[in-house]
Amino acid sequence: MDDSQHLNQEQLALLPTDEDVAFYEEHGWYISQKVLAEDIIDEAIQGSERYYRGERDTLLTISSGYSDWQPKDGYDVIRNNEFVSLQNKQLRFLALQPIIGAIASRLAKTKQIRLLDDQLVYKPPQDKNGKTAVGWHSDRAYWSTCSSHKLLTAWIPFHDCDELNGSLVVLDKSHKWSDIENTRFFNNHNLEDIEKQFSQQKREIIKVAIALKKGQISFHHCWTIHGSYPNYSNSFRLAIAVHLQDESNFYQPFWNHQGKQIHIIDELLCRKLPNGEPDFRDPSVFPVLWLEHNQV
């Protein structure tokens, strides 16, 4: 079976061109055309509302150790909830859309794309203090036990998104920077502080605010440093980041500079291999979005 049986002709025409892939490799990010139907996103919005009310279609096998906003945390803060597609059928339907996997497959030059993780991120409106900014970070810095350096993220806003309501911002070509393994400042709202550190390291900082229409997706390389601006608009901002594995990714033990072994929460969710290591191919936790020349 070929790829045409996954996507219709209209969708096939929306996949990245060779020039798009070259741009992604050079700059570390890519903006798709409008590839998602609005009704799928609208269903996901309803799913997010159910999730925030505490409704779950499926329960995780763990109850802590990951980001999971609760009403007791307050309503004037960023809501960051992980692994939502494993718990909510409407969010899962969005996150596993084949077109997402097909685009990622082209960009990463891999035959298979699997889910790794996801984050539903809500920003309340009218932020006057900058607390809804997301700090500069690279996703791969949080995934130390992944073997691949071709992982990537699909960022999907649930409505039109721009600088006013807190769009994603990438640092152009930062995936080529060296010594960024510890760039984990997601919760540091002061973007300028981290930018000063980058400047002191003689980095060339080129900020690109990603403006998207509903139905468009942005993709960024796992080492691309990114964050997002505060939401100054009068409406909430809601988006999901779908983190993706390429075919080659597998678990590898990792120790930090202090000699401490590092783990990621994904390891606790999935089955174990015969040697006792986590199986990053476990289909119940890391379902396949796209498999070239095969029906998924």
Side-chain angles (χ1 to χ4, degrees):
M1 300 180 185
D2 60 31
D3 296 349
S4 63
Q5 292 180 283
H6 300 275
L7 306 177
N8 59 39
Q9 289 299 316
E10 200 171 293
Q11 290 174 311
L12 286 171
L14 299 175
L15 294 179
T17 64
D18 291 344
E19 290 75 16
D20 292 331
V21 174
F23 180 92
Y24 170 80
E25 292 178 339
E26 175 66 15
H27 294 268
W29 55 277
Y30 165 75
I31 297 176
S32 80
Q33 300 181 60
K34 184 174 180 178
V35 297
L36 294 173
E38 293 197 9
D39 59 343
I40 294 176
I41 299 175
D42 292 340
E43 276 291 314
I45 293 173
Q46 293 182 29
S48 68
E49 291 170 349
R50 290 201 303 115
Y51 189 92
Y52 290 140
R53 290 197 299 266
E55 298 177 26
R56 302 291 184 269
D57 300 316
T58 306
L59 295 177
L60 295 180
T61 56
I62 59 175
S63 58
S64 62
Y66 60 98
S67 296
D68 192 30
W69 174 90
Q70 303 290 330
K72 62 181 175 60
D73 299 322
Y75 291 90
D76 61 343
V77 298
I78 291 180
R79 306 180 194 177
N80 181 18
N81 296 88
E82 289 186 278
F83 303 106
V84 293
S85 69
L86 299 182
Q87 304 173 73
N88 180 282
K89 61 184 180 181
Q90 291 150 304
L91 294 169
R92 181 182 180 87
F93 186 70
L94 170 62
L96 299 186
Q97 285 294 303
I99 187 67
I100 299 174
I103 293 173
S105 174
R106 286 279 182 96
L107 296 175
K109 294 183 177 178
T110 180
K111 292 184 178 181
Q112 184 192 73
I113 290 290
R114 305 188 300 273
L115 183 69
L116 177 63
D117 185 358
D118 59 61
Q119 293 171 268
L120 183 69
V121 182
Y122 172 103
K123 293 188 176 191
Q126 298 181 328
D127 179 1
K128 297 178 181 179
N129 300 310
K131 292 184 178 180
T132 58
V134 170
W136 298 119
H137 66 283
S138 65
D139 296 331
R140 183 63 174 75
Y142 291 96
W143 301 330
S144 300
T145 59
C146 286
S147 65
S148 176
H149 294 277
K150 295 172 65 177
L151 307 171
L152 67 167
T153 293
W155 192 79
I156 309 169
F158 289 8
H159 34 239
D160 294 356
C161 204
D162 56 25
E163 289 188 52
L164 181 64
N165 63 359
S167 67
L168 188 76
V169 185
V170 298
L171 299 187
D172 192 56
K173 301 183 181 181
S174 57
H175 65 306
K176 296 183 176 184
W177 293 0
S178 60
D179 301 321
I180 56 174
E181 293 82 1
N182 297 313
T183 311
R184 294 185 290 269
F185 305 109
F186 183 97
N187 294 312
N188 186 332
H189 309 307
N190 194 327
L191 299 174
E192 292 183 0
D193 276 358
I194 308 303
E195 289 172 33
K196 289 178 182 177
Q197 292 184 30
F198 293 151
S199 295
Q200 291 169 357
Q201 297 164 354
K202 308 301 182 183
R203 313 287 194 184
E204 183 182 12
I205 301 174
I206 303 175
K207 293 181 283 189
V208 180
I210 305 293
L212 299 174
K213 294 294 185 181
K214 185 177 179 180
Q216 287 186 288
I217 306 174
S218 71
F219 291 79
H220 57 265
H221 188 277
C222 63
W223 282 118
T224 297
I225 296 173
H226 58 287
S228 63
Y229 292 137
N231 179 12
Y232 297 119
S233 76
N234 294 322
S235 301
F236 67 86
R237 194 223 75 181
L238 185 61
I240 188 169
V242 182
H243 305 303
L244 303 167
Q245 307 181 59
D246 63 284
E247 181 180 29
S248 69
N249 187 54
F250 60 87
Y251 168 83
Q252 63 176 10
F254 182 85
W255 288 264
N256 65 15
H257 295 305
Q258 288 75 40
K260 178 183 177 181
Q261 186 167 8
I262 302 300
H263 296 280
I264 62 175
I265 203 68
D266 307 61
E267 299 168 31
L268 299 179
L269 290 170
C270 65
R271 68 191 181 192
K272 298 296 186 291
L273 294 167
N275 65 2
E277 293 183 344
D279 182 6
F280 284 177
R281 291 179 176 270
D282 181 350
S284 65
V285 180
F286 310 118
V288 174
L289 281 76
W290 184 258
L291 181 60
E292 188 175 328
H293 303 311
N294 212 338
Q295 183 98 24
V296 175

